[in-house]
Amino acid sequence: MALSMGRALILQRCIGPSLLSVAAGRGSAAWKKGGRFTQNEKHVRQFRNPSNRDSMAEEAKKLAGCAAVDNHVQNNHVVGVGSGSTIVYAVDRLAERVRQEKLNIVCVPTSFQARQLILKHGLILSDLDRHPELDVAIDGADEVDAALTLIKGGGGCLTQEKIVAGCAKHFIVIADFRKDSMALGQQWKGGVPIEVIPMSYVPVSRTIAKRFGGKAVLRMAVNKAGPVVTDNSNFILDWKFEHAQNWKVVNTAIKMIPGVVETGLFVGMAERVYFGMEDGTVSFRDPPIN
């Protein structure tokens, strides 16, 4: 597989020196240069005995979040803060670094959830009106394929997430091992989220099924009657596609359908993805070299 792959060292301050052991033959000299990892393979293993896959996934999220914050956030940065369960650990780590290192960091949220996380930790809250250009945006993903094409929007924040990511000089993604796929649809079975104007959801769903196959279904709320409503007061369709597509072409075509606001396909946007792994390491993937 023609991908730039590596194993990323996790800073000992992130999960504690007593829990870390550098693998034999791998010394600290292989650590990052100029804030970026070298392409040599690197390992740090955290020794633990998780009770189940869910606890491993939570630990993996934390490791990925720490790696992204430690290696891509610097003093005086404006940081885009993503949404979802994995980003919670990244914001925890960001707040810890701000306190310990006295960093001047400004945060721009992608959702109401992200806004509340920023306020909870006492971080500086801003928006794209005041800071239209971000140094880095960190966000999660529902699935990542071999080319770093993402499916996002399982939590319903895809439009604002894509706007913030598009304003960032560097877009960094964090995920656990369950989100890693060779092709979209292998791991994530929820389909591609598509945000639509409420009055358009029926014609849009029919058009997508006719042109691209599969089925686009209106996402219904769990704890209330009726559909999920986004932060933008729109509906979400989940397109359950049947086979792999040319995602760049499909993304553009779906966005041209009247009534579509945005898709959960993030094509050619991620600069690097950090995966927290089951064995307590973190692996990173860069886009393939064409």
Side-chain angles (χ1 to χ4, degrees):
M1 181 169 58
L3 297 173
S4 176
M5 296 288 293
R7 293 284 186 177
L9 285 171
I10 303 302
L11 293 181
Q12 291 197 10
R13 68 175 181 269
C14 183
I15 52 179
S18 64
L19 297 177
L20 298 178
S21 174
V22 178
R26 307 287 185 179
S28 59
W31 183 231
K32 60 182 181 177
K33 298 180 180 178
R36 296 183 64 83
F37 291 113
T38 65
Q39 292 304 306
N40 296 326
E41 188 175 89
K42 300 171 283 291
H43 294 273
V44 168
R45 186 174 302 277
Q46 180 182 4
F47 294 100
R48 76 267 191 268
N49 184 26
S51 59
N52 54 52
R53 186 175 171 88
D54 288 340
S55 66
M56 281 196 288
E58 289 304 310
E59 192 173 326
K61 292 176 184 180
K62 179 177 181 180
L63 294 172
C66 287
V69 169
D70 285 343
N71 291 287
H72 298 278
V73 177
Q74 299 177 19
N75 192 31
N76 297 317
H77 267 186
V78 180
V79 180
V81 177
S83 307
S85 60
T86 308
I87 203 67
V88 172
Y89 297 105
V91 177
D92 286 345
R93 178 60 187 150
L94 179 61
E96 182 181 39
R97 285 194 61 200
V98 167
R99 290 192 304 269
Q100 293 179 350
E101 302 173 36
K102 310 300 182 184
L103 301 181
N104 176 37
I105 300 294
V106 173
C107 298
V108 174
T110 59
S111 65
F112 181 79
Q113 177 220 9
R115 179 181 182 276
Q116 294 307 102
L117 281 173
I118 293 166
L119 293 175
K120 172 185 174 183
H121 286 284
L123 298 168
I124 299 174
L125 176 69
S126 188
D127 53 41
L128 293 177
D129 292 339
R130 287 172 286 182
H131 293 91
E133 184 175 282
L134 314 178
D135 293 290
V136 61
I138 300 175
D139 207 344
D142 297 309
E143 189 171 35
V144 183
D145 76 3
L148 264 59
T149 299
L150 317 174
I151 291 179
K152 290 178 51 58
C157 304
L158 56 145
T159 299
Q160 293 178 195
E161 290 173 341
K162 190 174 283 190
I163 292 170
V164 170
C167 292
K169 297 175 185 176
H170 306 286
F171 178 40
I172 307 300
V173 176
I174 54 178
D176 64 76
F177 53 88
R178 302 171 301 176
K179 311 299 177 62
D180 187 9
S181 292
M182 285 298 297
L184 297 184
Q186 287 184 344
Q187 303 286 349
W188 175 251
K189 304 303 180 183
V192 175
I194 301 168
E195 186 164 347
V196 298
I197 300 297
M199 68 174 291
S200 73
Y201 83 89
V202 171
V204 169
S205 63
R206 289 167 59 89
T207 300
I208 290 173
K210 182 178 180 180
R211 293 180 61 181
F212 306 109
K215 186 176 182 180
V217 298
L218 182 64
R219 186 184 297 181
M220 303 303 290
V222 175
N223 295 318
K224 66 176 279 291
V228 168
V229 178
T230 71
D231 286 358
N232 309 308
S233 300
N234 294 318
F235 290 171
I236 291 182
L237 298 174
D238 289 307
W239 172 40
K240 310 295 180 66
F241 55 91
E242 296 175 333
H243 53 80
Q245 308 265 354
N246 182 326
W247 296 116
K248 183 176 182 179
V249 172
V250 168
N251 179 58
T252 301
I254 291 177
K255 288 180 66 172
M256 293 301 293
I257 299 173
V260 171
V261 177
E262 189 54 87
T263 82
L265 289 167
F266 284 52
V267 184
M269 297 185 70
E271 177 178 309
R272 173 167 289 182
V273 179
Y274 289 94
F275 293 103
M277 307 304 290
E278 293 173 279
D279 63 358
T281 64
V282 172
S283 111
F284 68 83
R285 180 182 301 159
D286 294 335
I289 300 174
N290 296 324

